[in-house]
Amino acid sequence: MKRLWVALMAVLAISVASAQGRLFGEALGGQLVLVPSFGLSLDLAAGAERLLGPLDVRGGLSIAAAGGGSDFGLFADLLYPVRASNLKVNLGGGISLTAGEGTSFGLRGIAGLEFPLERYFSLLTELQLGVSFAGGGSSVGLGIVLGPRVYFP
């Protein structure tokens, strides 16, 4: 198992080193879950532009509060950026693993807009439609993400 982790880390390091675009971080992005119940999460993510051909890749951690409990999660997303004048439209999908009061696996679709404010700073907003699978059942959720994105030189 240790060799598998070392191999995965080596592949990740080579992929990041060969990225054609800039590295970025998203700190304290907030997600408001509207359906099926109200919830709030804070995310910390990092990624790279054009890591897999034209695709951006990001991964991160989330801490969520909903229904009187809290959850901790990991997520990974693939995003296809489309430039539209001064805006960047992100379309993509991702997977997540959440643990807390229960463990769940999730898939999500992402549609978002990135508003550049400065060369290395932009505001990101996304609509995320997710499906979670836990305990033999599934649920569908709709979330809105809003937060800053910082690009590293």
Side-chain angles (χ1 to χ4, degrees):
M1 186 68 170
K2 184 177 179 182
R3 289 183 185 186
L4 176 64
W5 281 109
V6 170
L8 287 174
M9 294 307 285
V11 168
L12 179 64
I14 291 169
S15 295
V16 169
S18 65
Q20 300 297 315
R22 302 177 291 178
L23 300 178
F24 61 83
E26 298 169 7
L28 297 177
Q31 178 178 8
L32 177 64
V33 178
L34 305 173
V35 178
S37 62
F38 179 79
L40 181 67
S41 75
L42 297 175
D43 302 338
L44 179 63
E49 292 181 317
R50 297 186 301 277
L51 186 62
L52 298 173
L55 299 177
D56 296 351
V57 177
R58 74 174 171 201
L61 309 169
S62 67
I63 299 172
S70 61
D71 292 328
F72 172 78
L74 300 171
F75 63 88
D77 299 326
L78 284 175
L79 301 169
Y80 182 73
V82 178
R83 301 261 182 220
S85 69
N86 199 21
L87 298 177
K88 184 170 144 185
V89 178
N90 291 316
L91 303 172
I95 59 172
S96 64
L97 181 63
T98 305
E101 295 179 12
T103 303
S104 67
F105 171 77
L107 299 172
R108 61 186 178 177
I110 301 166
L113 289 173
E114 185 176 339
F115 304 95
L117 301 175
E118 294 291 332
R119 183 174 177 194
Y120 295 108
F121 184 78
S122 62
L123 185 62
L124 179 68
T125 183
E126 291 179 344
L127 186 63
Q128 296 182 352
L129 178 63
V131 179
S132 282
F133 304 97
S138 62
S139 64
V140 177
L142 180 64
I144 298 171
V145 177
L146 179 63
R149 178 179 276 181
V150 177
Y151 288 94
F152 302 111

